[in-house]
Amino acid sequence: MNHFIFIFSIITINLFLVNANTTVIIIGAGAAGIAAASLLAEHGISFVILEAEDRIGGRIFSTYFGESKVDLGAQWSHGEQNNTMYNLIKDLDLVKPSDFKKNLYYSAENFDKSFASDLYWLCKKIFLKEKPVEEMSVGSFIEKRFRERVEEKYGNDEKISKYVNEILITFMHDILVQRGALSWFDVSMLNDYDRLKGQAYLDWKGCGHGIILDVMMKRYPNLSEELPIAENIIFNKQVNKIRWDGPPSVQCTDGSEYFTSHIILTASLGVLKHNYRSLFHPVLPQSKIDAINSLGIASVFKVVLEFSNRWWDPQSFKTAALCWDTADLKLLHDEFPKGRMKNNQSWLENLCEFHALDKNPNMLVAWFTGEFVPDIELLPDSTIIEGIMHVLVKFFGRQYKVTKPVGLLRNNWNSNQHFRGVYSYETVESRKLNESAALILSKPLISRDGNLSLLFAGEATSPTHYATVHGAIESGYQEAQRIIQLSL
Ligand SMILES: Cc1cc2nc3c(=O)[nH]c(=O)nc-3n(C[C@H](O)[C@H](O)[C@H](O)COP(=O)(O)OP(=O)(O)OC[C@H]3O[C@@H](n4cnc5c(N)ncnc54)[C@H](O)[C@@H]3O)c2cc1C
Ligand SMILES: *[C@@H]1O[C@H](CO)[C@@H](O)[C@H](O)[C@H]1NC(C)=O
Ligand SMILES: *[C@@H]1O[C@H](CO)[C@@H](O)[C@H](O)[C@H]1NC(C)=O
Ligand SMILES: *[C@@H]1O[C@H](CO)[C@@H](O)[C@H](O)[C@H]1NC(C)=O
Ligand SMILES: *[C@@H]1O[C@H](CO)[C@@H](O)[C@H](O)[C@H]1NC(C)=O
Ligand SMILES: *[C@@H]1O[C@H](CO)[C@@H](O)[C@H](O)[C@H]1NC(C)=O
Ligand SMILES: *[C@@H]1O[C@H](CO)[C@@H](O)[C@H](O)[C@H]1NC(C)=O
């Protein structure tokens, strides 16, 4: 009896869904997809969201770990003025300025802290204030200019050149965390990113970044005003064919097919890079392929660590950036040979900073960035915990009674085929195109009978706010608006 009802309900749900004849199909229930859906819902336009994962949020991923939520994906909100997302939440008391004080920690005991710190700020100042005259990678520009400026200011000897090399690695890690690249020679120094005024880093007060999804769906602050979105999301639906040059339709890996009038695709740039040859029927115009190939997306590896007690001082330990002594770096592989990478380098070289979470007093977030990230994702938890412990003792053991993490939470953004990276960046190549690559990517495709058949949203389609949640949300609104415009 129970079995019968169960099977029966599956069949009816499937029939209903496969035949769902909605005006719009949204691919992806991340920030861009939910934003588009909310606008369509408010205008009474029917839609279905097909989502490959079994949850909403995409690269927003807030989940309980201990007593509070932690963010495995997007964590901060950037800027207030003219920020579409901030406007949605500014009266809801959900965010506060982040206490983002960064301190440098050194692997060796005897080092000149104040000199290292002066060099670090000099490097940062060059990055923020100086511009190359022609397109150039951040790596090429900073390495050259920093060495020049240091020589002008301090001259050159063995000590200076050792510190310069060490600070360059530390600063490179800052850039790689920010851009999610594996090499700073991939990231272009000039860019169109628009830094919004107001607090550059806002923390979500313990509820995690995921609350923004509830705000867009109007489940928060007043659940009785909820928009009809959640019931129109179908999970575990991976789209693998998009037909756009006739009646628009999509096909999923489970064989199901959906027909519609407009498709909004929000999959990440990483997914597009990997799948554009087989996903689109007919193939994409060359300009789009050039934009997809030339923009960058790679990964960072973020691990939330739980300790049995807080062994660090919460007042001074906010963000601890690691600065390796050259000799210690050389030793690292021999001291901790597990999980060896190419040329016998240690993957621990890519561990660049720790930061404390004020709502999770016993937790630290560790960030890895650089060329080994795709391989680090494949290491087992036990190796990662042991490796991190090795580094914690090395950097903080002199000052604190470091204890071993008792738990770990991670998400493998690079190897997950629904993401294949964290956030997009401009490259020297993408800037050689005659137009903003993101703008090219954002242009809808019109079918041969003149219909607006395939629209592109998602963080990478934003020419000025890419790599952020607010950029993703704006892109979702913009594409939904194109469709709403048609029915006005
Ligand atoms: C570790 C990390 C830290 C970050 N930190 C910040 C931060 O502090 N501040 C900030 O502003 N931003 C941050 N970001 C970036 C931010 O999370 C993203 O820019 C934003 O969430 C992207 O939203 P989106 O809707 O464009 O894409 P996504 O969130 O990727 O949504 C796309 C959805 O499509 C689904 N999908 C993909 N392929 C298919 C398919 N074939 N069929 C069906 N569904 C599919 C995916 O599962 C996903 O749910 C961070 C991201 C990461 C990963
Ligand atoms: C969608 O609706 C149209 C007209 O209302 C109908 O002809 C068509 O068969 C429907 N398609 C599906 C898949 O239900
Ligand atoms: C605010 O953002 C919109 C859209 O992104 C832009 O057109 C406008 O110029 C911006 N205004 C300011 C003051 O920055
Ligand atoms: C919530 O929304 C409903 C419907 O709009 C309204 O009647 C109710 O007063 C709201 N509650 C609060 C606490 O604002
Ligand atoms: C294009 O749109 C028109 C109306 O806007 C519709 O009648 C026609 O069927 C559409 N063509 C396709 C191929 O979807
Ligand atoms: C790496 O280490 C192994 C032994 O641990 C050694 O045989 C090999 O030559 C090393 N390779 C390089 C490139 O240093
Ligand atoms: C860029 O080049 C393409 C193809 O040559 C052309 O269609 C497009 O109009 C150009 N865009 C600009 C802004 O010049």
mmCIF file with all atom_site columns, all heavy atoms in Angstrom, residues 336-347:
data_model
loop_
_atom_site.group_PDB
_atom_site.id
_atom_site.type_symbol
_atom_site.label_atom_id
_atom_site.label_alt_id
_atom_site.label_comp_id
_atom_site.label_asym_id
_atom_site.label_entity_id
_atom_site.label_seq_id
_atom_site.pdbx_PDB_ins_code
_atom_site.Cartn_x
_atom_site.Cartn_y
_atom_site.Cartn_z
_atom_site.occupancy
_atom_site.B_iso_or_equiv
_atom_site.pdbx_formal_charge
_atom_site.auth_seq_id
_atom_site.auth_comp_id
_atom_site.auth_asym_id
_atom_site.auth_atom_id
_atom_site.pdbx_PDB_model_num
ATOM 1   N N   . PHE A 1 336 ? 57.554 17.266 6.146   1.00 0.00 ? 336 PHE A N   1
ATOM 2   C CA  . PHE A 1 336 ? 56.199 16.744 6.014   1.00 0.00 ? 336 PHE A CA  1
ATOM 3   C C   . PHE A 1 336 ? 56.006 16.191 4.599   1.00 0.00 ? 336 PHE A C   1
ATOM 4   O O   . PHE A 1 336 ? 55.432 16.840 3.727   1.00 0.00 ? 336 PHE A O   1
ATOM 5   C CB  . PHE A 1 336 ? 55.151 17.833 6.328   1.00 0.00 ? 336 PHE A CB  1
ATOM 6   C CG  . PHE A 1 336 ? 53.792 17.250 6.540   1.00 0.00 ? 336 PHE A CG  1
ATOM 7   C CD1 . PHE A 1 336 ? 53.438 16.708 7.772   1.00 0.00 ? 336 PHE A CD1 1
ATOM 8   C CD2 . PHE A 1 336 ? 52.873 17.189 5.505   1.00 0.00 ? 336 PHE A CD2 1
ATOM 9   C CE1 . PHE A 1 336 ? 52.196 16.132 7.973   1.00 0.00 ? 336 PHE A CE1 1
ATOM 10  C CE2 . PHE A 1 336 ? 51.624 16.604 5.688   1.00 0.00 ? 336 PHE A CE2 1
ATOM 11  C CZ  . PHE A 1 336 ? 51.292 16.080 6.928   1.00 0.00 ? 336 PHE A CZ  1
ATOM 12  N N   . PRO A 1 337 ? 56.496 14.983 4.361   1.00 0.00 ? 337 PRO A N   1
ATOM 13  C CA  . PRO A 1 337 ? 56.497 14.445 2.985   1.00 0.00 ? 337 PRO A CA  1
ATOM 14  C C   . PRO A 1 337 ? 55.129 13.968 2.487   1.00 0.00 ? 337 PRO A C   1
ATOM 15  O O   . PRO A 1 337 ? 54.988 13.731 1.294   1.00 0.00 ? 337 PRO A O   1
ATOM 16  C CB  . PRO A 1 337 ? 57.496 13.287 3.064   1.00 0.00 ? 337 PRO A CB  1
ATOM 17  C CG  . PRO A 1 337 ? 57.594 12.927 4.504   1.00 0.00 ? 337 PRO A CG  1
ATOM 18  C CD  . PRO A 1 337 ? 57.210 14.113 5.311   1.00 0.00 ? 337 PRO A CD  1
ATOM 19  N N   . LYS A 1 338 ? 54.143 13.872 3.371   1.00 0.00 ? 338 LYS A N   1
ATOM 20  C CA  . LYS A 1 338 ? 52.845 13.334 2.920   1.00 0.00 ? 338 LYS A CA  1
ATOM 21  C C   . LYS A 1 338 ? 52.199 14.236 1.865   1.00 0.00 ? 338 LYS A C   1
ATOM 22  O O   . LYS A 1 338 ? 52.205 15.446 1.990   1.00 0.00 ? 338 LYS A O   1
ATOM 23  C CB  . LYS A 1 338 ? 51.887 13.246 4.115   1.00 0.00 ? 338 LYS A CB  1
ATOM 24  C CG  . LYS A 1 338 ? 51.867 11.885 4.740   1.00 0.00 ? 338 LYS A CG  1
ATOM 25  C CD  . LYS A 1 338 ? 50.613 11.732 5.576   1.00 0.00 ? 338 LYS A CD  1
ATOM 26  C CE  . LYS A 1 338 ? 50.728 10.490 6.429   1.00 0.00 ? 338 LYS A CE  1
ATOM 27  N NZ  . LYS A 1 338 ? 49.589 10.353 7.328   1.00 0.00 ? 338 LYS A NZ  1
ATOM 28  N N   . GLY A 1 339 ? 51.603 13.602 0.848   1.00 0.00 ? 339 GLY A N   1
ATOM 29  C CA  . GLY A 1 339 ? 50.882 14.363 -0.164  1.00 0.00 ? 339 GLY A CA  1
ATOM 30  C C   . GLY A 1 339 ? 51.816 15.160 -1.066  1.00 0.00 ? 339 GLY A C   1
ATOM 31  O O   . GLY A 1 339 ? 51.482 16.256 -1.494  1.00 0.00 ? 339 GLY A O   1
ATOM 32  N N   . ARG A 1 340 ? 52.983 14.577 -1.348  1.00 0.00 ? 340 ARG A N   1
ATOM 33  C CA  . ARG A 1 340 ? 53.993 15.256 -2.165  1.00 0.00 ? 340 ARG A CA  1
ATOM 34  C C   . ARG A 1 340 ? 53.410 15.755 -3.497  1.00 0.00 ? 340 ARG A C   1
ATOM 35  O O   . ARG A 1 340 ? 52.600 15.111 -4.130  1.00 0.00 ? 340 ARG A O   1
ATOM 36  C CB  . ARG A 1 340 ? 55.119 14.264 -2.424  1.00 0.00 ? 340 ARG A CB  1
ATOM 37  C CG  . ARG A 1 340 ? 56.183 14.724 -3.374  1.00 0.00 ? 340 ARG A CG  1
ATOM 38  C CD  . ARG A 1 340 ? 57.106 13.583 -3.736  1.00 0.00 ? 340 ARG A CD  1
ATOM 39  N NE  . ARG A 1 340 ? 57.655 12.959 -2.529  1.00 0.00 ? 340 ARG A NE  1
ATOM 40  C CZ  . ARG A 1 340 ? 58.280 11.789 -2.530  1.00 0.00 ? 340 ARG A CZ  1
ATOM 41  N NH1 . ARG A 1 340 ? 58.407 11.107 -3.642  1.00 0.00 ? 340 ARG A NH1 1
ATOM 42  N NH2 . ARG A 1 340 ? 58.753 11.289 -1.417  1.00 0.00 ? 340 ARG A NH2 1
ATOM 43  N N   . MET A 1 341 ? 53.844 16.932 -3.940  1.00 0.00 ? 341 MET A N   1
ATOM 44  C CA  . MET A 1 341 ? 53.406 17.486 -5.221  1.00 0.00 ? 341 MET A CA  1
ATOM 45  C C   . MET A 1 341 ? 54.585 17.441 -6.200  1.00 0.00 ? 341 MET A C   1
ATOM 46  O O   . MET A 1 341 ? 55.650 16.932 -5.879  1.00 0.00 ? 341 MET A O   1
ATOM 47  C CB  . MET A 1 341 ? 52.918 18.924 -5.038  1.00 0.00 ? 341 MET A CB  1
ATOM 48  C CG  . MET A 1 341 ? 51.737 19.040 -4.097  1.00 0.00 ? 341 MET A CG  1
ATOM 49  S SD  . MET A 1 341 ? 50.192 18.480 -4.840  1.00 0.00 ? 341 MET A SD  1
ATOM 50  C CE  . MET A 1 341 ? 49.286 17.885 -3.408  1.00 0.00 ? 341 MET A CE  1
ATOM 51  N N   . LYS A 1 342 ? 54.411 18.028 -7.383  1.00 0.00 ? 342 LYS A N   1
ATOM 52  C CA  . LYS A 1 342 ? 55.457 17.922 -8.404  1.00 0.00 ? 342 LYS A CA  1
ATOM 53  C C   . LYS A 1 342 ? 56.769 18.575 -7.945  1.00 0.00 ? 342 LYS A C   1
ATOM 54  O O   . LYS A 1 342 ? 56.741 19.495 -7.137  1.00 0.00 ? 342 LYS A O   1
ATOM 55  C CB  . LYS A 1 342 ? 54.963 18.498 -9.732  1.00 0.00 ? 342 LYS A CB  1
ATOM 56  C CG  . LYS A 1 342 ? 54.844 19.986 -9.751  1.00 0.00 ? 342 LYS A CG  1
ATOM 57  C CD  . LYS A 1 342 ? 54.640 20.486 -11.182 1.00 0.00 ? 342 LYS A CD  1
ATOM 58  C CE  . LYS A 1 342 ? 54.937 21.957 -11.209 1.00 0.00 ? 342 LYS A CE  1
ATOM 59  N NZ  . LYS A 1 342 ? 54.024 22.792 -11.923 1.00 0.00 ? 342 LYS A NZ  1
ATOM 60  N N   . ASN A 1 343 ? 57.887 18.121 -8.464  1.00 0.00 ? 343 ASN A N   1
ATOM 61  C CA  . ASN A 1 343 ? 59.230 18.562 -8.064  1.00 0.00 ? 343 ASN A CA  1
ATOM 62  C C   . ASN A 1 343 ? 59.450 18.424 -6.567  1.00 0.00 ? 343 ASN A C   1
ATOM 63  O O   . ASN A 1 343 ? 60.221 19.179 -5.971  1.00 0.00 ? 343 ASN A O   1
ATOM 64  C CB  . ASN A 1 343 ? 59.476 20.033 -8.440  1.00 0.00 ? 343 ASN A CB  1
ATOM 65  C CG  . ASN A 1 343 ? 59.367 20.246 -9.912  1.00 0.00 ? 343 ASN A CG  1
ATOM 66  O OD1 . ASN A 1 343 ? 59.713 19.361 -10.694 1.00 0.00 ? 343 ASN A OD1 1
ATOM 67  N ND2 . ASN A 1 343 ? 58.861 21.397 -10.315 1.00 0.00 ? 343 ASN A ND2 1
ATOM 68  N N   . ASN A 1 344 ? 58.749 17.484 -5.946  1.00 0.00 ? 344 ASN A N   1
ATOM 69  C CA  . ASN A 1 344 ? 58.885 17.249 -4.511  1.00 0.00 ? 344 ASN A CA  1
ATOM 70  C C   . ASN A 1 344 ? 58.539 18.471 -3.673  1.00 0.00 ? 344 ASN A C   1
ATOM 71  O O   . ASN A 1 344 ? 58.964 18.584 -2.538  1.00 0.00 ? 344 ASN A O   1
ATOM 72  C CB  . ASN A 1 344 ? 60.327 16.803 -4.162  1.00 0.00 ? 344 ASN A CB  1
ATOM 73  C CG  . ASN A 1 344 ? 60.566 15.370 -4.592  1.00 0.00 ? 344 ASN A CG  1
ATOM 74  O OD1 . ASN A 1 344 ? 59.617 14.641 -4.877  1.00 0.00 ? 344 ASN A OD1 1
ATOM 75  N ND2 . ASN A 1 344 ? 61.810 14.972 -4.636  1.00 0.00 ? 344 ASN A ND2 1
ATOM 76  N N   . GLN A 1 345 ? 57.782 19.395 -4.218  1.00 0.00 ? 345 GLN A N   1
ATOM 77  C CA  . GLN A 1 345 ? 57.393 20.540 -3.397  1.00 0.00 ? 345 GLN A CA  1
ATOM 78  C C   . GLN A 1 345 ? 56.293 20.102 -2.439  1.00 0.00 ? 345 GLN A C   1
ATOM 79  O O   . GLN A 1 345 ? 55.575 19.138 -2.697  1.00 0.00 ? 345 GLN A O   1
ATOM 80  C CB  . GLN A 1 345 ? 56.865 21.662 -4.290  1.00 0.00 ? 345 GLN A CB  1
ATOM 81  C CG  . GLN A 1 345 ? 57.959 22.562 -4.819  1.00 0.00 ? 345 GLN A CG  1
ATOM 82  C CD  . GLN A 1 345 ? 57.402 23.516 -5.836  1.00 0.00 ? 345 GLN A CD  1
ATOM 83  O OE1 . GLN A 1 345 ? 57.187 23.143 -6.988  1.00 0.00 ? 345 GLN A OE1 1
ATOM 84  N NE2 . GLN A 1 345 ? 57.141 24.730 -5.420  1.00 0.00 ? 345 GLN A NE2 1
ATOM 85  N N   . SER A 1 346 ? 56.190 20.820 -1.364  1.00 0.00 ? 346 SER A N   1
ATOM 86  C CA  . SER A 1 346 ? 55.133 20.502 -0.401  1.00 0.00 ? 346 SER A CA  1
ATOM 87  C C   . SER A 1 346 ? 53.879 21.309 -0.725  1.00 0.00 ? 346 SER A C   1
ATOM 88  O O   . SER A 1 346 ? 53.959 22.510 -0.998  1.00 0.00 ? 346 SER A O   1
ATOM 89  C CB  . SER A 1 346 ? 55.592 20.838 1.003   1.00 0.00 ? 346 SER A CB  1
ATOM 90  O OG  . SER A 1 346 ? 54.506 20.672 1.887   1.00 0.00 ? 346 SER A OG  1
ATOM 91  N N   . TRP A 1 347 ? 52.737 20.648 -0.656  1.00 0.00 ? 347 TRP A N   1
ATOM 92  C CA  . TRP A 1 347 ? 51.469 21.354 -0.865  1.00 0.00 ? 347 TRP A CA  1
ATOM 93  C C   . TRP A 1 347 ? 51.231 22.385 0.229   1.00 0.00 ? 347 TRP A C   1
ATOM 94  O O   . TRP A 1 347 ? 50.450 23.321 0.054   1.00 0.00 ? 347 TRP A O   1
ATOM 95  C CB  . TRP A 1 347 ? 50.304 20.355 -0.943  1.00 0.00 ? 347 TRP A CB  1
ATOM 96  C CG  . TRP A 1 347 ? 50.227 19.412 0.230   1.00 0.00 ? 347 TRP A CG  1
ATOM 97  C CD1 . TRP A 1 347 ? 50.933 18.258 0.402   1.00 0.00 ? 347 TRP A CD1 1
ATOM 98  C CD2 . TRP A 1 347 ? 49.398 19.543 1.389   1.00 0.00 ? 347 TRP A CD2 1
ATOM 99  N NE1 . TRP A 1 347 ? 50.597 17.660 1.587   1.00 0.00 ? 347 TRP A NE1 1
ATOM 100 C CE2 . TRP A 1 347 ? 49.648 18.424 2.213   1.00 0.00 ? 347 TRP A CE2 1
ATOM 101 C CE3 . TRP A 1 347 ? 48.443 20.476 1.799   1.00 0.00 ? 347 TRP A CE3 1
ATOM 102 C CZ2 . TRP A 1 347 ? 49.000 18.219 3.434   1.00 0.00 ? 347 TRP A CZ2 1
ATOM 103 C CZ3 . TRP A 1 347 ? 47.796 20.280 3.007   1.00 0.00 ? 347 TRP A CZ3 1
ATOM 104 C CH2 . TRP A 1 347 ? 48.079 19.165 3.816   1.00 0.00 ? 347 TRP A CH2 1
#
